[in-house]
Amino acid sequence: MLPGSIQITGEALSGAEIKDICESLKEDSVRLLSVRGCQLSDRDFGRLCRGVAESRSLAQLNLNLGVVSSIARVKHLADALKTNRSIQTLFLHGSPLLDAGLVALNTALSTHPSVVSLDLGDCMLGDEAVQLICGMLPPDGAKSGLRELTLSANPAITTKGWARLAIAVAHSSQLRVLNLDYNPLGDHIAGMLAVAVASSRTLEVLDLEGTGLTNQSAQIFLDMVENYPTCLRVLVLAENAISPELQQQISDLLSEGEEDEDKEAEAHGISREKTTWLPRSNSSSQMVLVTSGLGDSLLAETEM
């Protein structure tokens, strides 16, 4: 357990336990709160959200695996986010939000001054939700936007939705990490994403694990990293019908590009911001990204 953290997984939480959590939140002694997969009453969830709203120290909130299980709970969370000003990372992976849930959250998320990392994996989202998410990837650096976005395992999103996202990613002024693993993308959508990556001035990590790609997609990505300057540092292509040789070629080229930039920065006396990729395991833990550019490591402190 990390200092300033409350991490509970898969337990039934009593009213007394929720009261204790809320008191800690009000004392501004908690930076990380994770109740992933926990069961609590609607009344206690509302109390928890009020505690979140009042906290000025909370940086990471993990409500993964069905904690936000109804539209009523979504509205409680939205109200909390409208008041809270400290949360930087919000995990909602495995919540049955549907498009209606994201509609309810949209204003609170879009106007929150601190949220830069959002996990909406396996939230049963569709094209309407993607359109709202695109609004959180502004092209103007003067407006706060997401730097890390997870949309894993949302198979209801259509080609139209992914095309909208690709355009937003291409023009986003801040997005650095995009996780789209375990969506049925296929080579056509991957081609659109390759164009977005080539256009992006910020994207460093793209996870396309298990997305139905073939060597056709890999060849496009290989041509991109071989012939065009890009910010991309990590491209995850595991669990696709792509030859190991092609995957290794892409990985080697990306590594060479990063080494060249490090040498150039060192020659000019510049300290480059480092991004470290810790790969996913087969357990319930999600990917962790460690980054030196967002204060404390936003995604490194919590098991998902």
Side-chain angles (χ1 to χ4, degrees), residues 49 52-53 61 74-87 90 92 105 107-109 111-113 115 118:
C49 285
V52 167
L61 178 60
V74 170
K75 290 177 179 177
H76 278 304
L77 178 59
D79 289 341
L81 291 173
K82 288 174 184 176
T83 302
N84 175 278
R85 289 292 178 268
S86 62
I87 293 175
L90 178 61
L92 295 173
L105 282 171
T107 299
L109 287 173
T111 59
H112 197 286
V115 172
L118 181 62

Side-chain angles (χ1 to χ4, degrees), residues 35-214:
V35 290
R36 61 190 296 273
C38 289
Q39 299 87 48
L40 61 163
S41 69
D42 288 342
R43 179 171 177 267
D44 284 338
F45 184 83
R47 292 169 63 194
L48 183 66
C49 285
R50 288 192 291 275
V52 167
E54 294 179 20
S55 175
R56 293 174 296 178
S57 63
L58 188 64
Q60 299 184 44
L61 178 60
N62 188 328
L63 300 174
N64 282 354
L65 304 182
V67 177
V68 186
S69 56
S70 67
I71 193 65
R73 292 194 177 193
V74 170
K75 290 177 179 177
H76 278 304
L77 178 59
D79 289 341
L81 291 173
K82 288 174 184 176
T83 302
N84 175 278
R85 289 292 178 268
S86 62
I87 293 175
Q88 299 174 47
T89 302
L90 178 61
F91 297 105
L92 295 173
H93 204 108
S95 303
L97 297 181
L98 302 169
D99 285 356
L102 201 64
V103 169
L105 282 171
N106 181 55
T107 299
L109 287 173
S110 298
T111 59
H112 197 286
S114 302
V115 172
V116 291
S117 179
L118 181 62
D119 186 343
L120 296 171
D122 195 17
C123 284
M124 304 172 68
L125 303 180
D127 290 353
E128 183 180 3
V130 170
Q131 188 170 3
L132 297 174
I133 291 165
C134 288
M136 303 176 201
L137 303 172
D140 182 0
K143 180 182 177 184
S144 178
L146 295 177
R147 299 184 70 172
E148 303 172 11
L149 173 63
T150 295
L151 288 173
S152 315
N154 281 293
I157 300 172
T158 71
T159 300
K160 180 180 179 181
W162 293 123
R164 277 180 171 158
L165 182 69
I167 294 169
V169 169
H171 294 284
S172 170
S173 62
Q174 297 167 62
L175 188 68
R176 292 174 51 199
V177 179
L178 180 62
N179 299 305
L180 302 180
D181 49 308
Y182 296 103
N183 284 296
L185 302 180
D187 290 328
H188 178 63
I189 294 170
M192 292 190 291
L193 291 169
V195 174
V197 172
S199 302
S200 172
R201 296 165 294 162
T202 60
L203 193 68
E204 297 181 3
V205 177
L206 177 61
D207 187 351
L208 297 177
E209 180 175 352
T211 51
L213 309 188
T214 70

